[in-house]
Amino acid sequence: MVAVTCEAEVAHRAASDAELIAWVDEQDTLLGELPRAELRRRGLVGRGTFILLFNSAGELCVHRRTLSKAVYPGYWDVAAGGMVAAGESYAQSAARELQEELGIGDARLLEEGRFFFDQPDNRLWCAVFSAVSDAPLVLQPEEVLEACFMSPQAALREARAKAYCPDSLQALRHYLARRQAG
């Protein structure tokens, strides 16, 4: 059974690398579309979505990425999300990613702003969304190993000792700063 999961992850990764992704410049102007692997290899900028999923108690869904992920494999992640596909809006991408990764399809998504994330292996214009749902999670086995809920502050504390995705941590900090500013 483990071999099937590994094979499924490898096949998923290959398909993911070939997906056409929205290619943008550093001002978020659409330039075209490129395969995800080429965008990454050339250090170009893509668009990404980050969906902070909360339960009605205000706890944040935190999950661990599979080891087959191209970026931050095995890291803990405070947001569902991913790259915006060619021809897709940020909102369409967010809804698709939340459904695919965590099985949440009926939550209302609120856009919480955008920011530019720039690391050598991960250059993105990021749209942050939040959603609240108490529906049971249905984890995508090719992308998510496990998930739990905790306070946003607990996740930030835990990130000091465990490997967390730096882009989603920036999305969480962006969200918290926006909420604090009112």
Side-chain angles (χ1 to χ4, degrees):
M1 186 67 167
V2 171
V4 172
T5 301
C6 292
E7 289 172 17
E9 283 183 32
V10 169
H12 181 76
R13 166 73 188 277
S16 177
D17 282 347
E19 286 177 345
L20 291 178
I21 301 301
W23 168 36
V24 298
D25 64 16
E26 292 180 0
Q27 288 71 46
D28 197 22
T29 303
L30 187 62
L31 300 174
E33 56 190 49
L34 287 171
R36 180 189 315 253
E38 182 179 346
L39 193 79
R40 207 172 31 245
R41 180 182 54 76
R42 292 174 54 192
L44 301 173
V45 181
R47 286 181 173 163
T49 55
F50 294 84
I51 306 93
L52 303 167
L53 177 65
F54 296 91
N55 61 23
S56 59
E59 296 171 314
L60 177 66
C61 180
V62 176
H63 67 274
R64 194 159 66 94
R65 297 161 63 89
T66 59
L67 298 176
S68 63
K69 297 291 285 179
V71 178
Y72 313 126
Y75 280 42
W76 288 91
D77 206 336
V78 297
M83 302 294 290
V84 176
E88 193 175 46
S89 70
Y90 280 113
Q92 290 168 326
S93 173
R96 176 181 52 79
E97 291 287 354
L98 185 59
Q99 173 66 47
E100 286 176 2
E101 290 183 14
L102 301 177
I104 304 296
D106 60 353
R108 187 172 142 232
L109 292 168
L110 300 174
E111 187 165 349
E112 303 287 355
R114 297 180 186 174
F115 66 92
F116 184 59
F117 185 81
D118 194 3
Q119 285 190 338
D121 60 343
N122 190 18
R123 303 183 75 217
L124 296 171
W125 261 101
C126 308
V128 181
F129 292 84
S130 65
V132 177
S133 178
D134 289 320
L137 299 178
V138 179
L139 306 181
Q140 182 181 21
E142 297 86 4
E143 295 204 21
V144 181
L145 290 173
E146 59 185 301
C148 62
F149 283 87
M150 65 179 69
S151 74
Q153 294 73 22
L156 290 171
R157 280 192 306 273
E158 204 175 79
R160 292 185 216 135
K162 287 185 178 179
Y164 269 71
C165 298
D167 52 2
S168 71
L169 286 174
Q170 188 167 332
L172 177 58
R173 289 184 186 106
H174 175 88
Y175 167 84
L176 293 172
R178 182 181 164 115
R179 291 293 165 144
Q180 188 174 29

